[in-house]
Amino acid sequence: MAKQEREPHSGRRVALFPLPFQGHLSPMLQLAALLRSRGFAVTVLHTGFNAPDPARHRELAFVPIHETLPEEATSPDAGIVAQLIALNAACEAPFQDALASLLPDVACVVVDGQWYAALGAAALVGVPALALRTDSAATFRSMLAYPRLRDAGYIPIQGKNDERLDEPVPELEPLRVRDLIRVDGCEADALCGFITRVADAMRASASGVVVNTFDAIEASVLGKIETELSQPAFAVGPLHKLSPMAAAEHNFLHSPDRGCLAWLDAHPPRSVLYVSLGSVACIDRGVFDEMAWALAGSGAPFLWVIRPGSVRGGEPPLPFGLDMSRGKIVPWAPQRDVLAHPATGGFWTHCGWNSTLESVCEGVPMLAQPCFADQTVNARYVTHQWGVGLELGEVFDRARVAEAVRRLMVGEECAAMRESARRLKIQAKQCVSATVAMDNLVKYICSL
């Protein structure tokens, strides 16, 4: 029966264009596999920079766009906003040419929501375009509001002592001014300019928005996005659970140490704190040292991912005299397997959206240490909307952080957060069992 329902889509082709970073590649390819399972032919247009491996996805077609990138677009030392602007400028024409080469067989194209130039290029080619937001609906709505918040004086935030930092942001509750998107070291004008381009492209050139989220946690925000854009918004997440790719975790830029799973096997249920700040974020040496001392002093067993390049100034040695006997350190971990492991009782995270969703889906409470961009938005929702985590805050010292670890892992607060996390996990499972959002997206694509 399912096969008969999918036959009308056979032969219709959807093109996808992911942003070339791990946190964006993964959900886009998960969506690609999901669309393929619904009977669409799928072509993935991609940059040569951080290109996906076609051998891992033999059911998909891959077409490079043959871009020429300036150093600013690829250098790890470049600021993320400057990098995104450079990528958009360099990839606009090659993407347009590659998309045009697929005509007349393409029903629509799905581009990463940060590819504002690609949205305009698709319109010039005459191909309907959807934007995939790999961040939360709350983050996307805050981006749509960013220009008017700037005009109202909420942005930029002038230093840590700005008296407005703890003010609630009108119409974006529970966000405070300090929770709005920020990128340290990036001038407010440049950040606002980038966000304005994204918002303007959505309004001018997109036929809809696809969000890697689910109604149980963001239904009201999704409704407000639809009203503001006068476009449909499809909550098709959690993609890592719904996609046929979910059976295997694909790490495009880092190879996981799977030996850590055997180490977890030797620990009691919900006893281990998993620590990872994601695939991009970098921290200062001082923060690294305080993290190390806090973990050692917390009393909790821990699995700590120290990614090469994640500490500014090179690979640091652990502080002298530190007792790490309760912990295990790896350069990268199979995160979804770790979060699903019975021994994992908490997640110290940067609150990137993929990590946040994965933790929600496994019912694991979080210790929030947002580093930049959308992570502050996600951290606020984790701690004050869903009640499944604690925030570390601006003051970062070993004693305070060790106490936060203990509160996350044991005691009354821990029990309350675990119960809230358990309820969200049930809701996520119910979403995975339903197919309404994906059904609606498929119908919409076929109507374009």
Side-chain angles (χ1 to χ4, degrees), residues 65-405:
I65 66 168
H66 300 298
E67 80 286 358
T68 300
L69 297 179
E71 183 179 355
E72 191 174 26
T74 59
S75 171
D77 298 323
I80 187 62
V81 172
Q83 196 173 22
L84 289 171
I85 291 172
L87 280 167
N88 269 275
C91 293
E92 181 175 9
F95 165 77
Q96 183 173 329
D97 291 343
L99 183 60
S101 73
L102 300 179
L103 295 176
D105 298 329
V106 180
C108 80
V109 61
V110 182
V111 307
D112 189 283
Q114 309 293 47
W115 283 130
Y116 58 81
L119 284 171
L124 291 176
V125 174
V127 176
L130 301 173
L132 172 64
R133 297 303 315 187
T134 60
D135 44 19
S136 66
T139 294
F140 180 49
R141 184 159 184 257
S142 74
M143 292 180 73
L144 294 175
Y146 211 87
R148 66 175 178 266
L149 291 173
R150 174 74 182 276
D151 293 342
Y154 288 94
I155 301 165
I157 298 171
Q158 298 293 340
K160 293 183 179 180
N161 296 322
D162 191 312
E163 62 183 12
R164 304 192 75 172
L165 283 175
D166 289 315
E167 283 187 27
V169 181
E171 301 179 17
L172 293 181
E173 295 81 2
L175 300 185
R176 307 159 297 179
V177 172
R178 70 167 69 248
D179 302 314
L180 294 171
I181 295 170
R182 69 167 190 266
V183 178
D184 293 340
C186 177
E187 293 185 1
D189 287 344
L191 178 59
C192 191
F194 170 75
I195 291 175
T196 299
R197 292 183 197 184
V198 171
D200 288 348
M202 279 299 309
R203 293 186 172 99
S205 303
S207 297
V209 59
V210 182
V211 190
N212 185 19
T213 190
F214 57 101
D215 280 342
I217 56 174
E218 294 199 284
S220 64
V221 182
L222 288 159
K224 291 170 183 174
I225 289 171
E226 288 190 320
T227 299
E228 185 161 348
L229 291 178
S230 298
Q231 297 172 0
F234 301 94
V236 298
L239 283 170
H240 74 281
K241 287 289 190 181
L242 288 160
S243 171
M245 275 181 58
E249 185 169 1
H250 292 272
N251 293 279
F252 305 101
L253 308 181
H254 308 287
S255 297
D257 179 348
R258 299 193 65 83
C260 64
L261 298 175
W263 181 83
L264 285 171
D265 289 342
H267 289 79
R270 298 193 293 187
S271 64
V272 176
L273 176 67
Y274 171 55
V275 187
S276 176
L277 300 183
S279 60
V280 176
C282 291
I283 57 175
D284 294 330
R285 175 60 198 259
V287 173
F288 172 83
D289 286 350
E290 293 302 304
M291 288 180 71
W293 283 111
L295 286 169
S298 70
F302 58 88
L303 172 62
W304 188 7
V305 173
I306 303 179
R307 190 191 78 246
S310 62
V311 182
R312 296 184 184 93
E315 305 308 313
L318 291 167
F320 178 76
L322 190 71
D323 179 9
M324 300 295 285
S325 60
R326 284 188 299 273
K328 182 175 179 60
I329 295 174
V330 296
W332 196 247
Q335 180 162 289
R336 296 207 297 266
D337 290 336
V338 169
L339 290 171
H341 197 285
T344 302
F347 182 14
W348 183 342
T349 173
H350 65 310
C351 288
W353 185 238
N354 287 336
S355 291
T356 301
L357 264 187
E358 288 165 5
S359 202
V360 164
C361 288
E362 301 302 339
V364 178
M366 288 166 264
L367 190 62
Q369 184 186 343
C371 297
F372 69 97
D374 66 318
Q375 296 161 16
T376 49
V377 176
N378 301 336
R380 186 65 175 175
Y381 269 70
V382 163
T383 58
H384 285 76
Q385 184 74 8
W386 305 323
V388 294
L390 300 172
E391 60 181 336
L392 288 173
E394 298 291 322
V395 180
F396 200 91
D397 66 81
R398 64 194 70 176
R400 183 177 177 278
V401 174
E403 176 59 26
V405 170

